[in-house]
Amino acid sequence: MCSILHKFRESIEYVTETTHGRLKFQEAVDQVKLQGGKSLDDLSFKLESDFDILASALKSREIFCQLEQIDGNFKLNPSMEEWEKAIALKSCLKCFNDIKGTQSITVSLYFPMLCDIYKKFLQLEKSNHSFLTLMKRKFDRYWSLCNLELAVASVLDPRLKFKIVELSYIVIYGHDS
């Protein structure tokens, strides 16, 4: 995924930091806009995190594909397979990005959030992308270290109680767990 993220970062930098790239990108935007697509005003490029890079690039996917057609200097457009991998990765990273801004919540509320991430990994695991399998394996390691403590904190929280743990574990581990 590093190579795909690098390609997206370079593509965004090409259209934001070079005059030729900006002009050709505007031309691609105008052509896509004629076909009922996005206008340049709808787009904003962020390069602060991997999630931001993916979100920005995916939002402009049709424009980058058009840019590849009209600009002979633009050789960075990802292949269809790379775009599909980017969609899967963005879906996975969105869970972590959602947690990023929640610094003042109690530990008991992290359990449902991490369960949601685990459920997302279970869904994405069916896509057969090897990088997701590696990410899930790493997440499993951290999950195994903290899930019981977080579950206990959730049970002791009067807002959540045992039901949230029971329902989450059934989804994650199955009815026989």
Side-chain angles (χ1 to χ4, degrees):
M1 286 312 298
C2 288
S3 64
I4 294 172
L5 285 167
H6 178 73
K7 197 180 267 192
F8 284 134
R9 181 182 299 277
E10 294 290 316
S11 296
I12 291 169
E13 287 174 355
Y14 176 78
V15 301
T16 58
E17 295 179 9
T18 66
T19 305
H20 176 77
R22 240 187 327 273
L23 292 172
K24 287 295 187 177
F25 188 74
Q26 180 60 53
E27 187 179 329
V29 167
D30 292 341
Q31 288 181 11
V32 169
K33 188 176 173 184
L34 288 175
Q35 300 165 4
K38 294 179 173 54
S39 70
L40 192 58
D41 298 333
D42 298 334
L43 305 173
S44 66
F45 293 115
K46 296 179 183 175
L47 299 174
E48 289 139 21
S49 69
D50 290 346
F51 178 79
D52 291 337
I53 292 168
L54 289 169
S56 295
L58 288 168
K59 189 168 45 172
S60 306
R61 179 179 180 175
E62 60 186 317
I63 298 169
F64 280 122
C65 291
Q66 184 67 31
L67 181 63
E68 182 180 38
Q69 301 295 318
I70 63 174
D71 187 356
N73 295 332
F74 183 68
K75 307 278 189 220
L76 301 165
N77 196 39
S79 66
M80 292 304 279
E81 181 184 347
E82 290 172 323
W83 282 111
E84 295 305 314
K85 286 180 179 180
I87 291 169
L89 182 60
K90 179 188 174 254
S91 178
C92 182
L93 291 180
K94 183 178 183 341
C95 300
F96 294 103
N97 196 60
D98 292 344
I99 289 179
K100 183 175 72 175
T102 55
Q103 297 170 353
S104 62
I105 64 172
T106 61
V107 70
S108 61
L109 295 179
Y110 275 106
F111 180 77
M113 293 173 149
L114 292 177
C115 287
D116 288 342
I117 292 172
Y118 202 97
K119 292 172 199 174
K120 180 59 96 177
F121 271 122
L122 291 175
Q123 292 171 354
L124 291 171
E125 204 172 35
K126 297 172 188 166
S127 69
N128 293 327
H129 293 301
S130 60
F131 68 91
L132 288 173
T133 305
L134 295 172
M135 287 177 72
K136 183 178 179 300
R137 195 175 306 145
K138 187 171 248 186
F139 185 80
D140 281 340
R141 188 175 38 201
Y142 292 114
W143 173 256
S144 68
L145 294 173
C146 70
N147 82 77
L148 292 176
E149 292 83 356
L150 293 173
V152 169
S154 294
V155 169
L156 295 174
D157 188 326
R159 296 169 290 180
L160 301 176
K161 292 294 185 192
F162 187 71
K163 202 66 173 165
I164 189 80
V165 175
E166 183 180 28
L167 294 173
S168 296
Y169 276 8
I170 286 172
V171 171
I172 292 171
Y173 298 115
H175 288 285
D176 297 334
S177 64

